[in-house]
Amino acid sequence: ELAEKYRFLHWELEFADVFADRSGFDLVLGNPPWIKVEWNEGGVMGDVEPLFVLRSYSGPKLSQLRKELIDRYELRGSYLSTYEEASAIQSFLNAHQNYPLLEGQKVNLYRCFLLQAWKNTRNSGVSAFLHPEGIYDDPNASNLRSAVYHRLAAHFQFQNELKLFPIGNRNKFGINIHKNVNREKISFVHLSNLFTPVTID
C-alpha cells in the first residue's frame, strides 16, 4: 500500500542497465524542489479555515482554534496522517546513514538531490543543478560545503532582479556544475551577481 501511494524510486533497479554497463549516469541535470522539510499544520488547517494561516495568532489562541477545527470538521485522521508523513520524511532525510553530509542542517530537498546525483553519477560524470545559495553560507553545512568545493567545476550566482523565479527579487540562486570526482585541488569557474543566463554565454 505504501509503495503504491508514494511510488518509491529505486535508482539501481529502475536503471539497472545504466548501473551495470556504465556504473552510473554520465550527466544529471535538474531544478530540484527548494522545499524545507518541516511539519506545517497550516496546510491542513488552512484548507478549512484560511484565517489559521493568514492571521498571526498567539500560541494559546492557535491551540484553541486547532482543537475547535479538528472537532468541527472531523480532521483528526487527516491531521494525524499528514503529521505522520511529514515526521517520517524528516526522520529519513535527517538520518545519518541516508545523508551523512546533511547532519546537523535543516534539510532542504535540493541538498538531498545533490548527494543523490553524486551517488548515481559515474566517476567521470557531471551533475548540474539550479538551487538556492544556502549551501555556501549555512554555518552548519561545513561538511557538505567541503564536498561541494572539491567537486565544483562552475558556480554562476544570480540576483533575482528579473524575477526569473517567484522567490522575491532580493533572493539569490545559482547554477552549480559538479564533476563527480572528489579532487584534492579546489578549482572552479565563478561569476556572481548575474541577472540573466545570457551573460554566462
Side-chain angles (χ1 to χ4, degrees), residues 18 28 38 46 56 67 75 89 101 126 132 145 163 184 198 200:
V18 172
V28 176
E38 55 193 4
S56 297
K67 183 170 179 6
L75 294 175
I89 290 171
L101 291 175
V126 173
R145 205 166 20 258
K163 297 182 180 146
E184 276 190 42
V198 173
I200 298 171

Side-chain angles (χ1 to χ4, degrees), residues 175-187:
I175 294 173
N176 302 270
I177 302 171
H178 304 110
K179 291 184 178 174
N180 204 32
V181 178
N182 199 346
R183 299 166 295 167
E184 276 190 42
K185 184 181 176 191
I186 296 173
S187 174

Side-chain angles (χ1 to χ4, degrees), residues 163-179:
K163 297 182 180 146
L164 300 176
F165 291 97
I167 56 171
N169 66 332
R170 306 296 298 168
N171 292 319
K172 296 177 182 171
F173 62 90
I175 294 173
N176 302 270
I177 302 171
H178 304 110
K179 291 184 178 174

Side-chain angles (χ1 to χ4, degrees), residues 28-39:
V28 176
L29 299 173
N31 177 8
W34 308 357
I35 300 171
K36 284 184 183 166
V37 180
E38 55 193 4
W39 163 240

Side-chain angles (χ1 to χ4, degrees), residues 134-190:
I135 59 173
Y136 298 108
D137 59 15
D138 182 346
N140 297 317
S142 59
N143 288 339
L144 174 60
R145 205 166 20 258
S146 177
V148 165
Y149 281 133
H150 285 284
R151 288 176 172 86
L152 200 59
H155 173 235
F156 305 114
Q157 180 199 70
F158 290 84
Q159 302 284 345
N160 199 35
E161 286 297 323
L162 299 180
K163 297 182 180 146
L164 300 176
F165 291 97
I167 56 171
N169 66 332
R170 306 296 298 168
N171 292 319
K172 296 177 182 171
F173 62 90
I175 294 173
N176 302 270
I177 302 171
H178 304 110
K179 291 184 178 174
N180 204 32
V181 178
N182 199 346
R183 299 166 295 167
E184 276 190 42
K185 184 181 176 191
I186 296 173
S187 174
F188 57 92
V189 174
H190 171 73

Side-chain angles (χ1 to χ4, degrees), residues 115-127:
L115 303 185
Q116 194 67 46
W118 297 344
K119 182 179 164 191
N120 293 335
T121 307
R122 62 186 303 187
N123 284 342
S124 60
V126 173
S127 60

Side-chain angles (χ1 to χ4, degrees), residues 39-161:
W39 163 240
N40 178 9
E41 67 180 339
V44 178
M45 305 307 244
D47 284 346
V48 295
E49 178 54 78
L51 291 179
F52 195 91
V53 179
L54 298 174
R55 295 262 168 88
S56 297
Y57 291 122
S58 65
K61 177 67 177 171
L62 274 176
S63 185
Q64 176 194 347
L65 188 59
R66 180 187 306 112
K67 183 170 179 6
E68 288 173 13
L69 291 174
I70 285 175
D71 292 342
R72 185 182 328 145
Y73 296 103
E74 299 177 1
L75 294 175
R76 183 172 304 282
S78 173
Y79 182 92
L80 291 176
S81 71
T82 304
Y83 175 78
E84 178 186 77
E85 183 177 329
S87 179
I89 290 171
Q90 224 172 358
S91 294
F92 180 84
L93 298 179
N94 283 320
H96 176 78
Q97 63 272 30
N98 296 328
Y99 295 100
L101 291 175
L102 301 183
E103 192 168 21
Q105 301 166 53
K106 288 189 176 177
V107 176
N108 193 309
L109 285 180
Y110 78 85
R111 297 180 189 207
C112 300
F113 273 77
L114 291 180
L115 303 185
Q116 194 67 46
W118 297 344
K119 182 179 164 191
N120 293 335
T121 307
R122 62 186 303 187
N123 284 342
S124 60
V126 173
S127 60
F129 287 102
L130 185 80
H131 61 70
E133 295 288 273
I135 59 173
Y136 298 108
D137 59 15
D138 182 346
N140 297 317
S142 59
N143 288 339
L144 174 60
R145 205 166 20 258
S146 177
V148 165
Y149 281 133
H150 285 284
R151 288 176 172 86
L152 200 59
H155 173 235
F156 305 114
Q157 180 199 70
F158 290 84
Q159 302 284 345
N160 199 35
E161 286 297 323

